[in-house]
Every structure is written in structure tokens, then in C-alpha cells.
Amino acid sequence: MAKILEGLFDQGDFSKKDLNAIIQRKISDRTICYVLLTCTQAGPDGSMEVEMKYEGEKWLASYLIQSAQGILEEDL
């Protein structure tokens, strides 16, 4: 079952502390892996800084990213 957490940033700015609290609420005892991707606003030259954090096995994080890509492509 795939879920997309939508509208997280629609309510205003979140600090890293707020975001950490949200992630901790979403992670259950059964969670064995998660991936967090973040980016900054584009600069004048159009570049963005992208960061990724994951917890769990590297191969499983890769699978999650590939699965998420498929979900996003379905919505296009």
C-alpha cells in the first residue's frame, strides 16, 4: 500500500525540530526503513541543494525511492 504525505508544508514553515517530530510520529514499531528528501528554493541560477537521509538497509532505501518514483509518475 502506497501513501503520499501531501500538504505537509502548506501550513507554513516547519523547523527541523518540527519536521523531526512529524517523522517520529509517522514511524511505527514496524517501520524498518525510511527515506527523507529535502531541497532548498532555487537560487538565481536555478540550482537547488538536495539532501537525502535514510535509515535502514541501503538496498531497501533504493527500493523505496524507485517505488515512490513510480507512484509520482502515475500522478502525472
Side-chain angles (χ1 to χ4, degrees):
M1 173 184 230
K3 289 190 218 176
I4 297 178
L5 187 60
E6 294 181 35
L8 181 62
F9 296 103
D10 293 343
Q11 304 302 316
D13 293 332
F14 282 88
S15 68
K16 287 186 179 184
K17 183 178 176 182
D18 294 333
L19 190 55
N20 233 358
I22 291 167
I23 291 169
Q24 292 305 316
R25 283 196 309 265
K26 294 291 180 185
I27 295 174
S28 73
D29 292 339
R30 296 184 58 199
T31 300
I32 59 171
C33 186
Y34 72 87
V35 177
L36 174 64
L37 297 168
T38 59
C39 67
T40 62
Q41 288 183 329
D45 63 353
S47 65
M48 302 169 113
E49 290 198 25
V50 178
E51 295 182 12
M52 181 182 85
K53 177 182 179 182
Y54 71 93
E55 292 285 334
E57 298 287 337
K58 185 182 272 190
W59 65 268
L60 188 51
S62 176
Y63 173 77
L64 290 174
I65 293 168
Q66 290 173 3
S67 297
Q69 179 71 33
I71 292 167
L72 291 172
E73 287 175 356
E74 286 175 9
D75 288 347
L76 292 178

